[in-house]
């Protein structure tokens, strides 16, 4: 017969929120409340089918992404399961909004990354299902930042080309230069941050902070409340993740 201690240990993995802190629960709860409010507002007034579609997809993209990023901050390997669902939905939302860099990021890069990341984290996961953290040297940090700046400018220029826009959407997008730069910055910074996340470097959170701000700006341009909520949540979570990954490591 199993001891009471063994039973308690087993049940900890069944109850999803068993080891969540008050801050983490409040962060997710606030996200959920705001998301439901904007979901209802988006569905009332008999909107067209496209509006209903975009509202529902954005809602579920927001919730699954919030779960994923909080679990990353907790150094939990289960983040990749929620992340897989989130990146598919985030890619759909970005494609309908014609944010080229963002849907390329999610569909072409982030989907396979969920499996790659799981593999690398699984190899370095302890009994608490938490990954072991590493840190970058200062000179590698400078190389990373320089690369981000150069690639962002290059991809922003490519994204603004009418021929590229016609290829993806069959039309020219009516956008300003800051939309293209912001979209490109989200792509480049997120790719670099994801690589650092897979390799378990705590400095990933500095890049996530910048990426989250870029996402809030981008989706403010597109006027999508659900995406603004999810990246505002991500911004707060990135501060928490940076602290949590630096603590006792």
């Amino acid at each position: 017969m199993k001891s009471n201690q063994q039973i308690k240990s087993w049940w900890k993995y069944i109850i999803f929120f068993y080891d969540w802190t008050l801050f983490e629960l409040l962060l997710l709860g606030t996200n959920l409340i705001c998301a439901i409010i904007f979901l209802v507002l988006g569905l009332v007034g008999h909107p067209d089918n496209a509006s209903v579609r975009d509202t529902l997809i954005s809602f579920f993209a927001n919730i699954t992404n919030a779960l994923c990023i909080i679990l990353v901050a907790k150094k939990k390997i289960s983040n990749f399961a929620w992340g897989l669902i989130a990146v598919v939905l985030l890619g759909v939302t970005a494609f309908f909004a014609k944010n080229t860099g963002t849907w390329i990021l999610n569909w072409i890069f982030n989907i396979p990354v969920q499996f790659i990341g799981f593999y690398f984290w699984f190899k370095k996961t302890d009994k608490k299902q938490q990954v072991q953290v590493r840190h970058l040297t200062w000179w590698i940090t400078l190389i990373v930042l320089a690369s981000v700046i150069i690639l962002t400018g290059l991809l922003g220029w490519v994204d603004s080309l009418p021929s590229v826009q016609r290829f993806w959407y069959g039309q020219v997008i009516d956008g300003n230069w800051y939309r293209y730069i912001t979209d490109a910055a989200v792509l480049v910074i997120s790719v670099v941050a994801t690589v650092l996340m897979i390799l378990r470097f705590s400095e990933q959170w500095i890049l996530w902070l910048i990426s989250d701000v870029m996402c809030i700006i981008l989706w403010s341009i597109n006027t999508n409340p659900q995406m603004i909520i999810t990246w505002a949540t991500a911004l707060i979570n990135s501060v928490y993740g940076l602290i949590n990954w630096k603590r006792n490591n």
Side-chain angles (χ1 to χ4, degrees):
M1 180 178 291
K2 293 182 178 180
S3 66
N4 290 335
Q5 188 64 33
Q6 288 176 313
I7 293 174
K8 289 179 181 179
S9 177
W10 182 77
W11 272 104
K12 286 196 303 184
Y13 295 96
I14 302 299
I15 303 173
F16 184 76
F17 300 107
Y18 83 94
D19 64 344
W20 284 49
T21 65
L22 179 60
F23 171 81
E24 293 161 353
L25 292 172
L26 286 174
L27 182 60
L28 181 62
T30 302
N31 176 288
L32 183 59
I33 291 171
C34 293
I36 291 174
I37 291 173
F38 281 103
L39 173 65
V40 173
L41 292 175
L43 294 178
V44 298
H46 306 288
D48 56 47
N49 291 334
S51 297
V52 172
R53 175 203 65 196
D54 293 346
T55 299
L56 289 172
I57 293 174
S58 295
F59 172 77
F60 288 109
N62 173 24
I63 299 304
T64 53
N65 188 62
L67 282 167
C68 172
I69 60 178
I70 293 173
L71 288 170
V72 172
K74 290 174 65 62
K75 298 177 282 186
K76 294 290 187 178
I77 196 172
S78 57
N79 80 82
F80 293 106
W82 293 103
L84 181 60
I85 301 172
V87 296
V88 171
L89 297 177
L90 288 170
V92 173
T93 303
F95 185 83
F96 288 143
K98 297 181 175 60
N99 291 331
T100 308
T102 308
W103 68 255
I104 288 177
L105 167 70
N106 284 288
W107 283 351
I108 298 179
F109 181 77
N110 281 342
I111 288 179
V113 156
Q114 303 310 306
F115 299 98
I116 297 171
F118 177 84
Y119 171 75
F120 277 95
W121 276 40
F122 184 77
K123 291 173 62 178
K124 296 295 182 179
T125 298
D126 59 24
K127 294 181 180 179
K128 294 182 180 180
Q129 299 301 299
Q130 291 185 333
V131 72
Q132 300 166 17
V133 176
R134 303 164 66 192
H135 305 286
L136 287 176
T137 59
W138 67 268
W139 62 272
I140 293 181
T141 301
L142 291 178
I143 293 174
V144 168
L145 291 177
S147 300
V148 166
I149 293 172
I150 294 171
L151 289 174
T152 295
L154 178 61
L155 291 179
W157 171 72
V158 172
D159 196 15
S160 68
L161 296 175
S163 57
V164 173
Q165 296 173 4
R166 289 193 187 95
F167 176 79
W168 292 121
Y169 310 110
Q171 65 183 75
V172 177
I173 303 170
D174 183 19
N176 297 310
W177 65 269
Y178 51 81
R179 173 177 176 173
Y180 303 126
I181 290 296
T182 304
D183 189 35
V186 170
L187 170 59
V188 175
I189 295 172
S190 297
V191 167
V192 176
T194 300
V195 172
L196 294 182
M197 183 269 290
I198 291 174
L199 297 176
R200 300 172 284 112
F201 286 108
S202 63
E203 287 78 10
Q204 60 161 305
W205 292 108
I206 298 174
L207 291 180
W208 286 126
L209 282 167
I210 301 172
S211 176
D212 295 337
V213 172
M214 293 294 102
C215 284
I216 291 172
I217 295 172
L218 179 63
W219 289 108
S220 295
I221 295 171
N222 293 127
T223 319
N224 188 319
Q226 292 287 352
M227 292 297 95
I228 294 173
I229 292 169
T230 199
W231 296 116
T233 302
L235 181 61
I236 298 171
N237 185 71
S238 292
V239 176
Y240 174 68
L242 179 61
I243 296 171
N244 198 33
W245 278 53
K246 289 287 187 180
R247 182 187 301 148
N248 299 323
N249 284 293

